[in-house]
Each structure stands twice: as structure tokens, then as C-alpha cells.
Amino acid sequence: MVLPRPLQAGSRWRVPVTTRLLEWRKHVLENAGRRFRHTLMADYHCETLGDRVETPAGTFNNVARINISASETIEYGNIHEQTVIHVEMTQWYAPGVGLIKSERRESADSRELNPGEAILVLERID
């Protein structure tokens, strides 16, 4: 992810994101065990440049918190059903370090797609 410069609290921009966590339910035999992939436009919003974040790698000050959201109605499957997919993320960037924490949630208004959640945290700096 490349952040716009100069990054300011309140900044907004749009960047495409691809689903990574949604997965076909096992009972959908033609797609069992496969990830669902779709790219959609996401809205990015820098909420603050003043967060304090603790990670196993240390405590970081003046951290940028970026909220990301995207949703889109799509057709999927062999019978062309429609569903709304949602991607919500929060990312924290420390000055001079980069991404130190990320939380991602994906869901769909469909019984055939399992939602997913991922949290990544910086463990150490070598």
C-alpha cells in the first residue's frame, strides 16, 4: 500500500482491493475449499495521525490510522445469484517504520460464502 503524500488527518482516496478471506462453504461442491476472489473499489480515510499503538515490536507514537471500506453487489455462482460483499479494514502506519498493525474483515450477504477475519501485528524489527 502506498499512502498519499502528504498524508493528513481527514485525507480520503480510492484504491482497488481484492477479497482474500471469503471462502465457498464446503457444501457447494463445485467450489469446495476454494477462496472467493473479487476486486472492488475501496474508500480509504485517514482518521488520525496521532494514535499510540503497542505491538510486540514496541510502542509507536504519532501513528496514522487508516479506515478502509468497500461493498458491492455482484453476481456469482453457476445460477448467477446476487449478493453484497463487504470488506472492512483498519491499518496503522508508524512514521519511519510503515505498517505495524492491520485488521481485516470480509463478509457477504450469502449463505454460500463464509466470512473471514485476519489480524496482523508487527512482531519485531530487525
Side-chain angles (χ1 to χ4, degrees):
M1 172 67 196
V2 176
L3 300 175
R5 290 188 69 158
L7 184 61
Q8 298 176 342
S11 296
R12 294 180 182 273
W13 65 99
R14 291 177 59 88
V15 176
V17 296
T18 301
T19 58
R20 303 201 183 289
L21 304 173
L22 289 173
E23 187 173 278
W24 292 104
R25 288 190 188 270
K26 301 301 181 204
H27 72 273
V28 182
L29 296 178
E30 71 273 14
N31 294 306
R34 289 198 298 174
R35 299 268 184 227
F36 175 84
R37 293 282 184 253
H38 184 76
T39 299
L40 56 162
M41 287 303 291
D43 295 309
Y44 285 66
H45 176 224
C46 178
E47 284 202 339
T48 184
L49 298 174
D51 271 2
R52 178 182 170 94
V53 178
E54 293 184 27
T55 73
T59 300
F60 300 91
N61 295 306
N62 302 317
V63 172
R65 183 176 67 238
I66 312 294
N67 284 329
I68 302 134
S69 64
S71 62
E72 182 179 318
T73 301
I74 61 159
E75 282 190 3
Y76 71 99
N78 294 336
I79 59 174
H80 302 288
E81 289 191 47
Q82 286 195 339
T83 189
V84 179
I85 56 175
H86 308 276
V87 177
E88 301 289 333
M89 294 184 285
T90 303
Q91 297 177 335
W92 291 265
Y93 292 85
V97 177
L99 183 65
I100 59 170
K101 184 176 178 182
S102 177
E103 297 176 354
R104 182 179 186 123
R105 292 159 301 286
E106 296 180 9
S107 63
D109 298 340
S110 165
R111 292 175 293 146
E112 295 179 358
L113 294 170
N114 285 326
E117 182 174 306
I119 298 173
L120 305 172
V121 178
L122 184 64
E123 292 285 326
R124 69 178 187 273
I125 299 175
D126 291 332

